[in-house]
Amino acid sequence: MSRTFSTHVILGAGGAVSQSLVPELVRNRQEVLLVSRSGTEMSGTRSARADLTDRAGLEAVIPEGSAVYLLAGLPYDVRVWKETWPRIMDNVIEVCRQKRSLFIFFDNVYSYGLVEGPMTEDTPYKPSSRKGEIRATIAERLTEEYTSGRLDAIIARSADFYGPGAEKSGIPNILIFSKLAEGKSARWLGRLDRVHSLTYTSDCGRALPLLVADETAYNQVWHLPTAHPPMTMQRFVEIAAAKAEAAPKVSALSGWMVGLAGLFDRTTKELSEMLYQNTRDYLFDSTKFEKHFSFTPTSYEQGITETVNYYNQLRGV
């Protein structure tokens, strides 16, 4: 069964996933409303200003019977997350209930914690970090709402993501593609000899509308399509460097190095508790989505090539 919506509302319209999702919705001739504090604008859409922590402001801009995508990112600071994420989740849930709207929450895998073997939609929440505890709490809050029948919702999770548009938020973009584009050596957090699943941003943009259009997909957790098998980050850098025509130089930032740097930089300090994700194999399984929608994820080689081309376009090469 398919469902149509009056408007597709993007909360947090300035991020990497929205840059892939919005053009997909526009191509499909959907009415798109971008909601942000700054009034982000994109071709073929409308925009509105609102603060996600202000429930009345959200009520004023979200239309009845819409599909509401929560794609927002917050400063990478557990103090901000602890205070702000629960408030945002409560606000969006309440407004979606009032407006009879579908709520799509774009989530990460922090709530799973350290997992031995592949992460699937059935992996229990056993967070290994303070940020993971917060993500588990808000995911459980939303799950409680949709299992009780109080609203329709989808939790869509990705692995660490990379690709066009992710230069400010994708760790592979920041540490690998941006460095190579600047003629510098690539970097990685943790071990280079471990395999690490990475979700391509364009696949997120193509996948989310499929979930929204299919009523049988509602009120579930879905892992967004992610290429497999994953490769080591050493191999990932080698391919990226070859595509960028750069030297395949890469340095691994160990735990003590990140800890030392964290004494002087808050973001680096916040990353230190997440290093467990990069010291062992990080396996993200999207079989459920691929089978349900007959979807083939973008291969790593193609995704890397397109990301290098994107950086070349940014540089005017």
Side-chain angles (χ1 to χ4, degrees), residues 167-186:
E167 60 270 17
K168 294 181 180 179
S169 54
I171 297 299
N173 281 61
I174 294 168
L175 295 181
I176 298 173
F177 292 102
S178 292
K179 296 296 183 185
L180 294 175
E182 295 167 358
K184 300 177 181 179
S185 296

Side-chain angles (χ1 to χ4, degrees), residues 111-113 115 120-127:
S111 57
Y112 295 148
V115 179
T120 72
E121 290 86 349
D122 295 324
T123 297
Y125 297 162
K126 295 181 179 179

Side-chain angles (χ1 to χ4, degrees), residues 12-15 18 34-42 45-49:
S18 67
L34 308 181
V35 177
S36 64
R37 286 185 297 177
S38 61
T40 300
E41 297 181 351
M42 295 179 71
T45 71
R46 297 183 294 114
S47 64
R49 295 177 185 269

